[in-house]
Amino acid sequence: MIRIEAIWLAVDPLDMRAGTETALARVVAVFGEARPHHAYLFANRRATRLKVLVHDGIGVWLAARRLNAGRFVWPQGGSQLGLSGEQLNALVLGLPWQRLGDAGIIRVI
């Protein structure tokens, strides 16, 4: 099982053709390092696709999600933002997660 202690959102878009090495290089460039048991989320420019890179303490995992219709509700600006697990679940489904309660588990850079 992959343990995730923190989830980081990158506001700037990522080219969805990026593979593991390119996504990891972006994580290091944006966040300084890929920390064990942390997940890093990226969206494309249109916010119709999402990629998550997870460092599990040994290696990295890269997963992608695509919406068939609509867009992910992606934050604007580079400030920190706290999201609850419920809000994260809504975000990956493309739902308006800002309307749900908040308890910080995600940081936005």
Side-chain angles (χ1 to χ4, degrees), residues 4-107:
I4 298 176
E5 297 172 354
I7 302 169
W8 300 80
L9 242 62
V11 175
D12 290 336
L14 177 71
D15 183 346
M16 290 295 121
R17 296 173 293 183
T20 305
E21 297 301 320
T22 304
L24 182 58
R26 173 64 82 77
V27 166
V28 171
V30 172
F31 301 101
E33 66 179 328
R35 298 181 188 138
H37 310 294
H38 285 214
Y40 303 89
L41 276 72
F42 297 93
N44 65 343
R45 189 169 308 282
R46 296 183 319 175
T48 57
R49 295 175 187 249
L50 179 78
K51 279 204 175 182
V52 59
L53 183 131
V54 177
H55 188 311
D56 67 0
I58 298 170
V60 295
W61 297 77
L62 184 64
R65 180 164 178 83
R66 177 180 57 116
L67 291 178
N68 290 326
R71 297 175 180 216
F72 291 105
V73 181
W74 208 251
Q76 302 296 316
S79 61
Q80 289 196 354
L81 174 69
L83 270 70
S84 66
E86 185 180 22
Q87 287 174 317
L88 175 63
N89 290 337
L91 185 146
V92 299
L93 292 173
L95 300 173
W97 53 268
Q98 299 95 330
R99 297 179 184 164
L100 302 173
D102 58 317
I105 63 164
I106 298 182
R107 294 168 186 86

